[in-house]
Every structure is written in C-alpha cells, then in structure tokens.
C-alpha cells in the first residue's frame, strides 16, 4: 500500500507545481517523490536493464542535495528568479528520466528490443539534460555543503561517462530478430531462433506473455496507425512465443470487438475459477500442481513436457512434478454445467495422463527400436518417419529423445549410404530445436560426424548439416566444439559454392559461430571474407544484410579489420550506403563506423569515394537507426579533423619556438 502511495505521488509530481503556484520547496519535495517512485520500479526489460539500474542509482545520489535545498526554505528560494528556473529545469530532467525508466519497466519487451538503439539515444538525452540542470544550480548561493557538492560532482562525472559509453550491442539478439522478421526465409530452423528469443526477452512464461500482450495493446493504442508494419511484426512474434509456450491462440489487435473477443464471449459467462489459466477454457480434468494452482491436465502436462519447471501462473519453481486431481473443483464445474445447460468439451479417451496418445507413444517406441534393425529398408523408413515426427511439433521431439532415439541416430550418421545420412542429419536437425536435445546430440558425439557430412554429403545433406550446426551452436559450448571439430572451413566452402538455400544456411551458422572470438580467426583463415564480398556483389542472392552482419562481427577482431579494410571493400560499402535498401544502409553504416573507430584511414578512404553527402542525406531522411549511425560517423569525422588540426598547430608552434 505504501509503495502504491509513493508511486501515485511520483505520478502527480509532473502536474502539481505548475497549477498551484506554491513555493519552490514544493518543487523540491515533488522531485524527491519522483526519485522515490523511480526506486520502486521493478522488472526492467533485459535489453535495457543495466542502463536502467545505473540511472536509478544515480538519481538516488541526488537525494542529499534535494534534502539540503529543502531545508533552506521558501523565503530564500523565491529571492532568485534564476534559481527557480534552475529547479524547474532539474525537475523536467528528472521527470524525463522517470518517464524513460517507466517505459523500460512496463513497455513491450519486443518493441524495446527492436528499438534498442533508439532507447539508448533517449538515455543519452536524459543524461545530457540532467547534467546541464545540475551544472546550472547556484551551489554557493544555496550554501550547499562541501560533501554534497562532491557527491553531485561525482554523479555528473558518471553521467558524462555514461553518455560517451555505448554498451556493446547484443548482435546475436539483433541477428535473431532480423531472421525472424525476414519475410523471405521461414524454415524449420527458425523455431530454434524463436525459442532462444523467447528466453532472451524473458517471454517464455505465461504471466510474462500475458503482461506483454497488455503492453503491446497499449503500444498500438498510443501509436495508432504509425509504424503499422512494425506493430504487426511485434504482434506476429508474440503469437509465435505463445505457441512455443503451449498457448494456442491468435492475438488480434483490431479493438474491443476483435474476432478473438467474439470467439471467447461464451467463456465470459463461465466463472473465472473454472477456467484454465493457460488456455482460458473451462476445465474438464482440473489438477493441482506443487504451488497449489489448478490447471487443465492436458495443458499443464504439455507445459511440463516442454521442459518447463515453473508454475505458469505464479512463476515459482515447482517442488515436484506430480499432478493431483482437483475433485472438489471438478464436481463444482459439473454442477454448474448441469444447472446452466452447458456441455463440457469431450475429452479424447485415447490420450494418456500426460496428454499424449498411447498410440503415438507405441509408434515412437517401435520406430526407435527399428533404428537398430538389420533390415536396411526398415531402418530407412524408421529414420524418415522420425524425421517427419520431429518436424511436426515440440512434444514429439521430447518423446523421441525420452525413448532413446538420439544415440542410434548419431551412430547412423556414419552409415555408408548418402540417403540414410541425409535423412539422419535432418532428423537430428529437427530434434535439436529442443534446447535439451541440443546438449544430448552434442554429448553423443554427433558434431564431428555432421561436419563430415557437410564436407562429403549430398547437396541437401550438406545444407541440412549446416542448419543443424547452426541450431546446435545456440549453446556456447557447442560453438567451441564445432570450431575445434574443423566445422568452419566446410561452412565457408558451402557459403562460396552452395545453392542459395545452402548459402543462407552457411551464413546463419557462420554468424552464430563467429560470436566466439577464436572462431572469428578460424573463419578469416578459412577465407570467409572473399566469400562475403561475393555475396555483396551478387545482389540477386538477396544476402547483403547477412553478409554485412557477419562483417560487423569480424570487424571487432584485429585480423578481421586488417582483411576487411581494403579499398575495394570500402568502395562497396559506400555504394551500398548510396544505393542499398534502408536495411542495407543501416548495416553498411554500422560496419563503416566499427572500422572507422579503429582506423581513421578507413574514414578518409570513404570520404574519397564520396560518402560525406550520403551521410548528410541519411541524417535527414534515413531510418532512425541509419540517422544515428550517420550522425556518429560524421561526429567521428569532426573529432578526427579537430585532433589533426590540433596536432598541426602544435607542430607549427614547436617549429616557431625552435626557430
């Protein structure tokens, strides 16, 4: 309750002083309330969490200053018009900081991840305003103590450093978002990316998904028809996250009378406690989990089968996985149905207690046994069937692994038949979409065998081997293992000589593997840079963004910068900045900035190829990200020019003194 009152005081602080004409002490109290309210914000989004916690901590350091100003009293504060202006400016800066922190605490996680660079720019703007407001305060006139002045000076130094610092972008997250939002490529391996994104954005638990849906609806309402495409992308991605979590429903953002609302209108008549928290449908077989919450048996079993070990409603870790029938609630539901003439949905009699049919279990058990059959045709058909079952849904992947399907499949990778190898590596690709299976596949020694198929298999087998290595490389330990198993060189070869699909599979795998510093060196030695340059030149392949994303990773490695920083590449970059798609331009600007920060001659070469006018144009008409990158490059050019000028003046001064 106290927390709520503080939050409400903080919310009112933005309007009260402007309307009541009270003294400046009221303004100081309001600022203190704002800082106190900010301290109660929780749940900062992962993409901005570090920045939010640092800003909240710095704001708290200002409380002793405000306490001393408050003690001075109105009689002294009103005597200076300049002081009133300074306090108003500080209040505006604090309210700006509070608004930003609230956005990062309650806003859409997907939107904040998509716009992470824009949000970082907002943080920098807040730092600038706070620093300026603190600089304008007349500390001596106010009689502020030496200790507090030192603390304020420390805060200002931290704000200046924070404005200059730019945390390393989560390139893996950015690449995953780019792949997921791509309309051109919707292959099976994307399920692995979706699962990783859900974990990174903390959108894999039911309560988090429900909170995100509310945040997305609010965002759509605030922005109206602006950026309709981005809003639809967010909406679609949230729907995919819900499917992964076992919530089979479509989110429609058309307003209060959406199709989803109409579909659910019947459930509005049903008592809330009769609805399963996961599906929001009336329960037929309610069961109690370790936390005391009740769910429909089939829904919670699917949740548990997907390797979740938390209660969907509370988020608490489950002490055990036993399910106890809630007979009392079942009787109440049946009584209500009889009284209201409501027919309960029919439960499939073939389903077991875990929501999986006995027939499917028997089929998978038989198929796993057939993997070891002496008859070639029986073995081949078993692999093909497991391949299809593993592709169809997450439950099948878990069942196949639980019935011991992974070890014999790994052994079959070495079978001397191209057709068997192709189906086997594809089956393991589909199974590896499950996070636990990634570890099992690697532990069974599959990676060296997959690399061998990548080198010598059929075209489809090589493509699916690359996709399997991409999926397995989601785990950091597997990135190391794939690099040590000589998996980089054949991937580079596929990038150079494969089909379009093969090139795409190789590019996504190489991007993921190049997040490891040692693998960057391996990729450079394997000739990845000429292969990437070819992708930039062959525009009909449509892989410019993928190539530039890998270039951006390699540019953080000294060997990579030496190889990349050739004049021909800089010329190509400038051409992309001039004529590329908006996304192409963003990626090219990012690479140019990364290279230029380490080598000023790169910027000079870009200037010779005419980049300046295009940078200026992009600061006015480019996308938000392109504008930020172009401005950063122009600022770097300006800083470089000023440094060169200072060195020249210093040299002339020495020469003059020497003569």
């Amino acid at each position: 309750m106290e927390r709520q009152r503080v939050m409400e005081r903080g919310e009112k602080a933005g309007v009260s002083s402007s309307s009541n004409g009270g003294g400046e002490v009221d303004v100081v109290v309001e600022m203190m309330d704002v800082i106190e309210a900010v301290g109660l914000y929780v749940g900062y989004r992962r993409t901005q969490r570090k920045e939010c916690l640092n800003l909240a901590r710095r704001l708290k350091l200002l409380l002793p200053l405000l306490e001393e100003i408050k003690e001075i009293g109105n009689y002294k504060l009103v005597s200076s018009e300049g002081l009133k202006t300074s306090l108003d400016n500080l209040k505006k800066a604090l309210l700006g900081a509070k608004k930003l922190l609230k956005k990062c605490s309650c806003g859409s996680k997907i939107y904040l991840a998509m716009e992470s660079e824009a949000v970082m720019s907002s943080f920098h703007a807040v730092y600038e305003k706070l620093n300026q407001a603190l600089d304008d305060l007349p500390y001596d006139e106010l009689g502020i103590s030496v200790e507090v002045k030192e603390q304020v000076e420390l805060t200002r130094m931290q704000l200046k450093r924070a404005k200059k610092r730019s945390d390393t972008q989560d390139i893996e997250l950015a690449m995953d978002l780019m792949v997921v939002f791509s309309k051109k490529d919707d292959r099976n391996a994307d399920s692995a990316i979706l699962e990783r994104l859900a974990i990174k954005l903390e959108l894999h638990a039911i309560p988090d998904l429900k909170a995100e849906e509310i945040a997305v609806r609010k965002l759509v309402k605030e922005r109206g028809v602006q950026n309709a495409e981005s809003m639809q992308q967010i909406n679609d991605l949230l729907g995919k996250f819900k499917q992964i979590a076992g919530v089979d429903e479509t989110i429609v953002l058309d307003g209060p009378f959406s199709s989803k609302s109409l579909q659910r209108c019947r459930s509005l008549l049903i008592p809330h406690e009769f609805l399963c928290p996961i599906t929001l449908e009336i329960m037929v077989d309610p069961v109690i989990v370790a936390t005391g919450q009740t769910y429909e048996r089939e829904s919670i079993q699917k949740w548990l089968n997907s390797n979740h070990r938390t209660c969907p409603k509370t988020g608490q870790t489950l002490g055990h996985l036993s399910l106890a029938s809630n007979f009392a609630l079942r009787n109440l539901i049946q009584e209500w149905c009889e009284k209201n003439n409501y027919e309960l949905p029919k439960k499939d009699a073939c389903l077991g207690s875990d929501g999986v049919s006995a027939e499917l279990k028997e089929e998978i058990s038989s198929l796993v046994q057939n993997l070891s059959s002496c008859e070639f045709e029986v073995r081949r058909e078993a692999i093909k069937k497991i391949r299809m079952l593993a592709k169809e849904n997450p439950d099948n992947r878990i069942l196949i692994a639980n019935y011991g399907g992974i070890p014999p499949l790994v052994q079959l990778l070495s079978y001397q038949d191209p057709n068997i190898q192709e189906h086997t590596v594809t089956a393991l690709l589909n199974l590896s979409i499950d996070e636990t299976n990634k570890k099992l596949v690697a532990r069974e020694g599959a990676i060296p065998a997959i690399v061998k198929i990548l080198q010598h298999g059929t075209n489809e087998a090589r493509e699916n081997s690359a996709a399997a290595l991409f999926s397995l490389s989601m785990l950091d330990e597997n990135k190391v293992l794939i690099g040590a198993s000589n998996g980089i060189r054949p991937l580079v070869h596929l990038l150079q000589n494969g089909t379009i699909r093969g090139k795409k599979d190789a590019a996504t795998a190489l991007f993921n593997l190049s997040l490891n510093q040692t693998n960057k060196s391996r990729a450079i030695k394997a000739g990845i840079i000429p292969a990437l340059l070819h992708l930039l030149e062959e525009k009909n392949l449509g892989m410019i963004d993928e190539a530039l994303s890998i270039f951006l990773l390699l540019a953080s490695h000294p060997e990579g910068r030496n190889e990349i920083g050739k004049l021909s590449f800089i010329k190509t970059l400038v051409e992309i900045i001039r004529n590329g798609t908006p996304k192409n331009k963003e990626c090219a600007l990012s690479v140019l900035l990364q290279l230029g920060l380490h080598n000023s001659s790169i910027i000079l070469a870009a200037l010779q190829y005419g980049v300046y006018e295009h940078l200026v144009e992009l600061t006015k008409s480019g996308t938000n990200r392109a504008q930020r990158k172009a401005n950063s490059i122009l600022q770097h050019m300006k800083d470089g020019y000023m440094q060169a000028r200072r060195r020249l003046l210093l040299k002339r001064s020495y020469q003059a003194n020497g003569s």
Side-chain angles (χ1 to χ4, degrees), residues 35 90 138 147 159 191 202 273 303 308 333 341 428 454 468 497 518 556 589 611 632 639 656:
I35 294 174
L90 181 56
E147 293 82 1
L159 290 169
S191 300
E202 297 174 342
E273 58 271 21
W303 171 262
H308 294 293
I333 292 172
N341 197 27
L428 287 169
L454 178 62
N497 305 299
T518 305
S556 66
L589 288 166
V611 76
S632 296
D639 293 343

Side-chain angles (χ1 to χ4, degrees), residues 338-456:
E338 290 172 7
K339 184 178 178 181
N340 291 276
N341 197 27
Y342 186 92
E343 186 177 351
L344 279 172
K346 293 286 189 295
K347 188 179 179 186
D348 191 342
C350 297
L351 293 179
S353 61
D354 56 1
V356 180
S357 71
E359 185 181 349
L360 178 60
K361 289 180 178 178
E362 187 176 337
E363 179 186 12
I364 288 175
S365 176
S366 175
L367 287 170
V368 170
Q369 288 178 16
N370 287 345
L371 291 175
S372 303
S373 172
C374 298
E375 297 180 33
F376 173 81
E377 198 57 36
V378 172
R379 189 180 291 188
R380 188 170 70 88
E381 286 303 312
I383 299 168
K384 287 173 66 176
K385 186 62 178 174
I386 285 176
R387 168 183 175 174
M388 296 311 298
L389 285 171
K391 182 178 180 180
E392 285 170 4
N393 69 58
D395 293 340
N396 290 351
R397 294 173 202 135
I398 296 165
L399 275 174
I400 292 166
N402 288 345
Y403 276 94
I406 290 177
L409 281 170
V410 172
Q411 291 175 13
L412 286 167
L413 288 171
S414 303
Y415 197 89
Q416 296 304 310
D417 180 88
N419 193 259
I420 290 279
Q421 288 182 351
E422 182 182 308
H423 288 304
T424 303
V425 78
T426 309
L428 287 169
L429 160 63
N430 296 335
L431 286 167
S432 71
I433 292 169
D434 180 82
E435 201 71 19
T436 302
N437 287 351
K438 285 179 173 60
K439 297 177 182 177
L440 292 174
V441 171
R443 194 181 302 153
E444 289 297 325
I447 287 175
I450 293 173
V451 170
K452 195 170 181 180
I453 294 174
L454 178 62
Q455 293 169 320
H456 306 295

Side-chain angles (χ1 to χ4, degrees), residues 309-321:
R309 294 296 178 262
T310 55
C311 174
K313 191 171 183 180
T314 66
Q316 293 173 272
T317 300
L318 295 171
H320 58 80
L321 303 182

Side-chain angles (χ1 to χ4, degrees), residues 280-335:
L280 298 182
E281 299 290 347
I282 192 167
M283 289 182 278
V284 179
D285 186 9
V287 293
I288 303 170
V289 298
T291 58
Q293 299 295 327
T294 298
Y295 300 91
E296 174 63 35
R297 184 186 295 275
E298 183 180 346
S299 301
I300 190 62
Q301 194 64 59
K302 281 186 177 180
W303 171 262
L304 297 175
N305 287 346
S306 298
N307 291 316
H308 294 293
R309 294 296 178 262
T310 55
C311 174
K313 191 171 183 180
T314 66
Q316 293 173 272
T317 300
L318 295 171
H320 58 80
L321 303 182
S322 301
L323 304 176
S325 294
N326 192 334
F327 294 112
L329 182 60
R330 186 194 295 178
N331 291 336
L332 287 173
I333 292 172
Q334 289 173 347
E335 288 174 12

Side-chain angles (χ1 to χ4, degrees), residues 487-489 491-493 495-496 510 513-514 516-532 550-566 595:
I488 304 287
R489 190 170 293 278
L491 283 170
V492 171
H493 185 267
L495 187 67
Q496 290 172 315
L510 284 165
L513 291 166
S514 295
N516 176 278
Q517 193 74 353
T518 305
N519 285 343
K520 289 176 188 173
S521 181
R522 290 186 175 118
I524 294 162
K525 288 182 173 67
I528 191 174
I529 289 173
L532 293 173
I550 299 173
F551 269 127
L552 185 58
L553 284 177
L554 299 178
S556 66
H557 193 283
E559 291 178 49
R561 287 195 294 274
N562 292 336
E563 286 286 328
I564 296 170
K566 304 291 173 61
L595 291 171

Side-chain angles (χ1 to χ4, degrees), residues 8 66 102 155 163 166 260 269 293 334 533 561:
E8 287 172 356
L66 296 175
K102 183 178 180 182
T155 304
K163 187 174 183 298
S166 180
K260 179 184 168 187
L269 306 172
Q293 299 295 327
Q334 289 173 347
L533 284 171
R561 287 195 294 274

